[in-house]
Amino acid sequence: VENVSWNDVQEYINKLNSKTGKKYRLPTEAEWEYAARSGGKKERYAGGSDIDSVAWYDKNSGTKTHPVGQKQPNGLGLYDMSGNVWEWVQDWYDENYYKNSPKDNPKGAGSGYDRVLRGGSWCSDPELLRAAYRVGSDPDNRDGSSGFRLVVSSVRQ
């Protein structure tokens, strides 16, 4: 999915949860990074250090998104966490949050103006595809390089 805002995703999640009875949500930023790094490994990109094997980005994408699964997965079997489309996560964006946050499972900023996007996209420079790179954007912003990935809670609430 591309060209969706954070707010669009929230509306979709509400409908999906009502229809299925499950508890889908966006991952937290900490969950996203842990998953991108194959369960917490020191990987530059999601799946290793060879960007061309794991990501669509400005030098190899042909200026478009690609179907998921054409590049190698990371160590958890997840595809396209670096490149292809930026992925919305649940957290508010605070540029300085991680300088003072808890090391283990930080909860993210409590409020803000922008929401966090992770992973870079088909039109991004390789530096923006690093597993550690983060950016904030208005939750109403939609463009062809923004998408999402859902998680489902194992416990129904």
Side-chain angles (χ1 to χ4, degrees):
V1 174
E2 61 190 64
N3 206 20
V4 293
S5 71
W6 187 91
N7 288 329
D8 293 336
V9 176
Q10 297 307 306
E11 184 177 334
Y12 173 75
I13 289 170
N14 288 335
K15 288 179 182 178
L16 183 64
N17 288 343
S18 292
K19 185 174 183 173
T20 65
K22 295 183 179 179
K23 182 70 174 159
Y24 290 96
R25 61 181 174 80
L26 287 173
T28 66
E29 189 172 7
E31 289 170 332
W32 187 96
E33 187 167 338
Y34 183 81
R37 291 180 183 266
S38 301
K41 296 178 182 173
K42 298 279 186 201
E43 296 180 340
R44 183 167 179 81
Y45 306 107
S49 60
D50 179 12
I51 192 170
D52 286 309
S53 70
V54 298
W56 296 110
Y57 65 108
D58 67 351
K59 301 290 189 265
N60 70 359
S61 70
T63 66
K64 64 180 182 180
T65 58
H66 293 267
V68 173
Q70 294 183 339
K71 296 289 185 175
Q72 292 177 2
N74 73 1
L76 296 178
L78 300 171
Y79 292 88
D80 296 312
M81 290 193 78
S82 288
N84 216 17
V85 295
W86 286 98
E87 296 183 11
W88 291 106
V89 296
Q90 188 62 37
D91 301 42
W92 289 104
Y93 181 76
D94 177 345
E95 182 178 352
N96 297 311
Y97 178 76
Y98 289 101
K99 292 178 181 174
N100 302 311
S101 71
K103 183 179 186 297
D104 294 330
N105 200 21
K107 301 299 180 198
S111 63
Y113 297 102
D114 291 337
R115 292 290 184 165
V116 177
L117 289 152
R118 299 295 299 260
S121 79
W122 57 268
C123 61
S124 296
D125 175 275
E127 192 66 15
L128 305 183
L129 275 66
R130 293 178 302 116
Y133 193 82
R134 53 197 299 270
V135 66
S137 184
D138 185 300
D140 283 325
N141 184 44
R142 287 185 193 100
D143 67 48
S145 65
S146 298
F148 66 100
R149 170 183 315 260
L150 296 180
V151 297
V152 63
S153 295
S154 58
V155 178
R156 293 182 189 213
Q157 297 179 354

